[in-house]
Amino acid sequence: MSDIEHLLEEALRPSGPEPLEPPRDLFARVMDSVADDRRRRRHIRLVAAAWATGIIAAVVGIAVFTPRIHGRLAMDWWILEIATNLGLIAIAVWLGPFIKRFGRAYAADVFHDNPQTGKSYIVLTDIVYYLIFSAYILFTVQLVPEVSWATWVTAEQVANSLMRIGGILLVIAVLHGLNLLIMPVLGRLFSLNRRLPRH
């Protein structure tokens, strides 16, 4: 063997008098981890299939049940308004927890000195987020059609609905981006507060 291989062998050789034995429940823990990963992937596939099924059903329902005038779809304006509001609520309810699931490890790393404070911080930010999302949806609800809209759906109303959906996506992105920047500062402040002597 070369010198590098000898060095690697020395580094990887157990230093204790007895060789280390793997934990007795190692196999069970590995199997549990594999099962959790399988359940997570199945859940993601089910969610994606549900979203795809809902979108396809909505498109088919619109194409089949919407009346036509001179070969063009003539949907009442309030149908698109209700669909837009339901879409905004679905985005706010689904996307927030989806992002938070990937940020738990980040929050645990930031608040490693005081994990209870980190959990409380995450709960409070979730409440604030949902209040902001609810306010945005209520602010943009249309109870009567705009002057430029007709009694059925027009291109102006479709553009308005797309802007509202893009707006809530922007609000979610800005809030979570600010949280990513502010959370390390707060975690550092809380850690310093715990280490300062109290008289």
Side-chain angles (χ1 to χ4, degrees):
M1 291 190 295
S2 64
D3 293 336
I4 296 178
E5 290 172 333
H6 280 295
L7 291 173
L8 288 174
E9 184 185 10
E10 289 294 331
L12 297 175
R13 182 179 300 153
S15 59
E18 297 179 359
L20 295 176
E21 293 184 2
R24 298 185 181 217
D25 61 341
L26 178 61
F27 182 75
R29 285 190 289 175
V30 170
M31 294 304 295
D32 290 341
S33 177
V34 171
D36 290 340
D37 187 61
R38 188 180 295 118
R39 281 193 295 270
R40 193 178 303 112
R41 285 193 309 240
R42 188 183 304 120
H43 178 71
I44 292 174
R45 285 196 295 266
L46 287 175
V47 170
W51 275 92
T53 303
I55 293 173
I56 292 173
V59 172
V60 171
I62 290 172
V64 171
F65 296 108
T66 301
R68 297 175 181 270
I69 298 178
H70 303 296
R72 298 177 60 184
L73 295 177
M75 179 191 297
D76 291 332
W77 72 272
W78 55 268
I79 297 177
L80 180 60
E81 181 65 23
I82 292 176
T84 303
N85 292 324
L86 292 177
L88 293 175
I89 294 172
I91 290 173
V93 170
W94 173 76
L95 194 57
F98 180 76
I99 296 174
K100 185 179 70 174
R101 189 178 68 185
F102 292 100
R104 284 176 184 165
Y106 177 72
D109 189 34
V110 170
F111 294 100
H112 59 86
D113 287 338
N114 41 9
Q116 191 61 40
T117 304
K119 292 178 182 178
S120 301
Y121 175 80
I122 292 175
V123 171
L124 291 175
T125 52
D126 286 343
I127 295 173
V128 172
Y129 288 170
Y130 284 116
L131 288 175
I132 294 174
F133 300 156
S134 302
Y136 176 87
I137 294 172
L138 292 175
F139 286 158
T140 58
V141 168
Q142 296 284 342
L143 299 179
V144 293
E146 296 284 346
V147 177
S148 59
W149 299 356
T151 55
W152 57 84
V153 174
T154 60
E156 290 82 1
Q157 186 180 0
V158 173
N160 179 269
S161 298
L162 293 176
M163 287 180 62
R164 292 172 62 193
I165 294 174
I168 197 169
L169 292 175
L170 180 62
V171 169
I172 292 173
V174 169
L175 289 176
H176 283 88
L178 290 175
N179 194 23
L180 286 176
L181 295 176
I182 295 173
M183 195 184 298
V185 178
L186 294 177
R188 183 65 175 167
L189 290 176
F190 290 142
S191 299
L192 291 175
N193 187 33
R194 287 174 63 92
R195 294 171 186 170
L196 288 176
R198 297 184 181 180
H199 299 287

